[in-house]
Amino acid sequence: MKTPLLSRISQFCWLFFPPLILAISIFSLYFYYSELISGYLVNLWWMSYASLALAAIIAWQFGRSRLVYACLLLLLLTLDKQLTLPAELLDVSYGGILLSLLFLLYSRDKGFSVVNLSFSVAILTALFAFSWLALPLLQAASQVWLSSLDSILLKVWPSVRAYITPFNGVLLVLALLLGLIRLLAKIDNTHNGLFFALGLSALIYSYDDAIVTLIGIISLASLFCYSVLKDSFTMAFKDELTGIPSRRALMQYVQTLGRKYTVVMSDIDHFKKFNDTYGHDVGDEVLKLVASKLNKVMGGGKTFRFGGEEFVIVFPRKTTTEVLPFVEIVRQTIADYDIALRSKPRPAKPKKSVAKKLLTKSPVTKKSPKNKVVKVTSSFGVAHRTKEHADFSGIMKQADIALYAAKKAGRNCVKVAQQ
């Protein structure tokens, strides 16, 4: 079983490394076959602007304001490359873009109302002003203590020193480090896209090659579009509370099933009473717990939240007899799990008078434990596809009848539909 730390590291790796490997492959291929690829791409300069416009429109439609601003910043970077400015990395004109991308990483999407647009434009303008005023002063003040680093770069890595000064290198490393910390704290597709914009924009600005700019901009625009569509898909097809696929995802998954499959309906026993006793917050934690256990069912089953405290497990290419052992295991796992509840402080009792205290003997009571351990159980109804019940709705109805039989049999058990 994965710990939360290992699960988080795994989530980060699956999110971060695929676009990183893809970007390294694309740029390596270009640098290896630069003359051949340049011949094909030399007349496609307009794709930088077209891809950024497309990404901005998609981000706008889905309310991803930070990605819209990132597209505008990359547009400024693309236009800036056509001007006759110094080729030093992190020139003051790029410093504003760097700080703005870092700001977008640490902020959140705020929509496109007049107030939000005005606030965001004011912040980005202030960052550009700061870069124009402060960065040259900081660079001049740091020349003395960075001279040793400058000499090391000239000896060890002269090719890199041609594009970057020690001050600019330190500034870039700090920005990437802060961006990585933010990505680790908030692992999602939008932050991943903004972090890659932070890194690739430095490469685009420092490398004086129109094809590198074209490849970098198209790659980032594609990553932005993927981020928006992937997040939207997750919101539409994953249950927000439990994190498992939702009912909409179930209806889509049904279309991929063949002629042989088994459906299991599950319901948390006495959940309404549990909710009324301990509160909705504790009820939500129970739902997440049960969902996590059901989601780990073996035998190739796929779990969905159907609604409320009801869940559905679909076993493709399996008969009822084949899935029963796996359903029994997950039922027992839920029943054996101890849930520790923190005791809530009792309301203060009204003070008694001294005479009443003398006349009334207060019974001796034991202190209640800090944590109360409770258990939850689930009931299961199982049905499979037959000639009489060939459509999914009919199979679901049979599984629901079996679930009702499990409830009548005392709950915390598995019943098979009489088909």
Side-chain angles (χ1 to χ4, degrees):
M1 182 178 177
K2 286 186 177 180
T3 63
L5 178 60
L6 288 177
S7 179
R8 194 166 190 81
I9 293 174
S10 175
Q11 183 185 2
F12 170 79
C13 291
W14 280 109
L15 184 72
F16 180 76
F17 284 106
L20 177 64
I21 294 172
L22 182 61
I24 292 174
S25 303
I26 291 174
F27 282 103
S28 300
L29 185 65
Y30 167 69
F31 288 125
Y32 192 76
Y33 297 104
S34 57
E35 294 183 3
L36 178 63
I37 296 176
S38 297
Y40 288 102
L41 300 180
V42 67
N43 295 321
L44 298 178
W45 55 269
W46 54 270
M47 288 189 64
S48 297
Y49 304 102
S51 60
L52 286 176
L54 179 62
I57 291 172
I58 293 176
W60 182 287
Q61 290 296 318
F62 285 87
R64 300 295 193 273
S65 58
R66 289 182 296 168
L67 293 182
V68 173
Y69 298 136
C71 289
L72 295 176
L73 292 171
L74 292 174
L75 177 62
L76 288 177
L77 178 60
T78 306
L79 294 173
D80 195 28
K81 289 283 292 182
Q82 298 178 0
L83 302 177
T84 56
L85 293 176
E88 291 281 339
L89 176 64
L90 294 180
D91 186 74
V92 288
S93 59
Y94 176 69
I97 296 176
L98 179 73
L99 294 176
S100 298
L101 288 173
L102 197 58
F103 163 73
L104 293 177
L105 258 170
Y106 276 85
S107 62
R108 60 186 181 87
D109 293 312
K110 297 180 180 179
F112 300 101
S113 66
V114 176
V115 175
N116 290 332
L117 281 173
S118 302
F119 175 78
S120 300
V121 170
I123 293 294
L124 296 177
T125 303
L127 291 174
F128 270 90
F130 175 80
S131 69
W132 279 97
L133 296 174
L135 287 185
L137 297 176
L138 290 174
Q139 188 170 5
S142 63
Q143 290 299 322
V144 177
W145 61 274
L146 285 176
S147 58
S148 57
L149 180 59
D150 194 12
S151 61
I152 294 174
L153 278 175
L154 284 171
K155 292 179 182 178
V156 178
W157 216 344
S159 58
V160 174
R161 179 58 184 84
Y163 299 103
I164 186 170
T165 64
F167 173 79
N168 296 332
V170 170
L171 194 58
L172 177 60
V173 169
L174 286 176
L176 291 175
L177 182 60
L178 288 173
L180 186 61
I181 291 173
R182 175 58 175 170
L183 181 58
L184 288 170
K186 186 70 174 178
I187 304 174
D188 62 27
N189 290 285
T190 299
H191 287 88
N192 195 46
L194 290 171
F195 179 79
F196 274 93
L198 193 69
L200 281 182
S201 62
L203 175 64
I204 293 169
Y205 191 84
S206 63
Y207 206 83
D208 192 16
D209 190 327
I211 305 301
V212 169
T213 301
L214 176 63
I215 295 174
I217 293 296
I218 293 177
S219 300
L220 288 174
S222 302
L223 184 58
F224 288 174
C225 293
Y226 171 80
S227 300
V228 172
L229 297 177
K230 181 64 176 178
D231 284 341
S232 301
F233 176 87
T234 300
M235 290 174 62
F237 292 94
K238 272 199 174 182
D239 180 61
E240 185 177 1
L241 176 65
T242 61
I244 67 173
S246 63
R247 183 171 182 170
R248 182 177 296 178
L250 171 63
M251 294 299 104
Q252 187 184 57
Y253 181 68
V254 168
Q255 301 175 11
T256 67
L257 297 173
R259 296 184 177 182
K260 180 182 178 182
Y261 60 88
T262 298
V263 176
V264 180
M265 286 200 70
S266 174
D267 184 275
I268 302 176
D269 298 329
H270 301 295
F271 183 72
K272 186 179 183 303
K273 183 179 179 182
F274 190 93
N275 240 0
D276 294 339
T277 304
Y278 300 106
H280 290 283
D281 291 340
V282 177
D284 288 346
E285 293 301 317
V286 170
L287 280 172
K288 289 191 281 188
L289 168 69
V290 173
S292 68
K293 300 300 181 184
L294 293 174
N295 201 38
K296 295 174 183 176
V297 65
M298 296 180 290
K302 190 171 180 64
T303 305
F304 304 84
R305 186 183 180 189
F306 194 69
E309 68 272 23
E310 290 185 330
F311 300 88
V312 172
I313 310 174
V314 180
F315 290 87
R317 301 176 299 279
K318 290 284 195 303
T319 63
T320 300
T321 306
E322 292 172 329
V323 307
L324 281 178
F326 305 114
V327 177
E328 183 61 32
I329 289 173
V330 76
R331 181 202 63 79
Q332 193 64 47
T333 302
I334 295 171
D336 292 342
Y337 194 86
D338 293 334
I339 303 174
L341 303 177
R342 293 181 180 179
S343 57
K344 296 181 180 180
R346 294 181 179 179
K349 294 181 178 180
K351 293 182 179 180
K352 296 181 179 180
S353 61
V354 178
K356 196 170 184 178
K357 282 183 180 179
L358 295 173
L359 294 173
T360 307
K361 292 183 179 180
S362 55
V364 179
T365 57
K366 295 181 180 180
K367 291 184 178 180
S368 59
K370 292 183 178 180
N371 293 330
K372 181 179 180 180
V373 177
V374 298
K375 291 181 180 290
V376 295
T377 59
S378 293
S379 301
F380 296 83
V382 185
H384 65 275
R385 186 181 184 275
T386 62
K387 292 182 180 179
E388 294 78 13
H389 305 97
D391 61 304
F392 185 75
S393 59
I395 304 169
M396 284 284 292
K397 186 175 182 180
Q398 292 299 311
D400 190 50
I401 293 173
L403 175 61
Y404 182 71
K407 295 285 187 181
K408 289 188 67 176
R411 295 179 169 84
N412 191 25
C413 61
V414 181
K415 292 294 181 181
V416 179
Q418 301 297 322
Q419 296 173 276

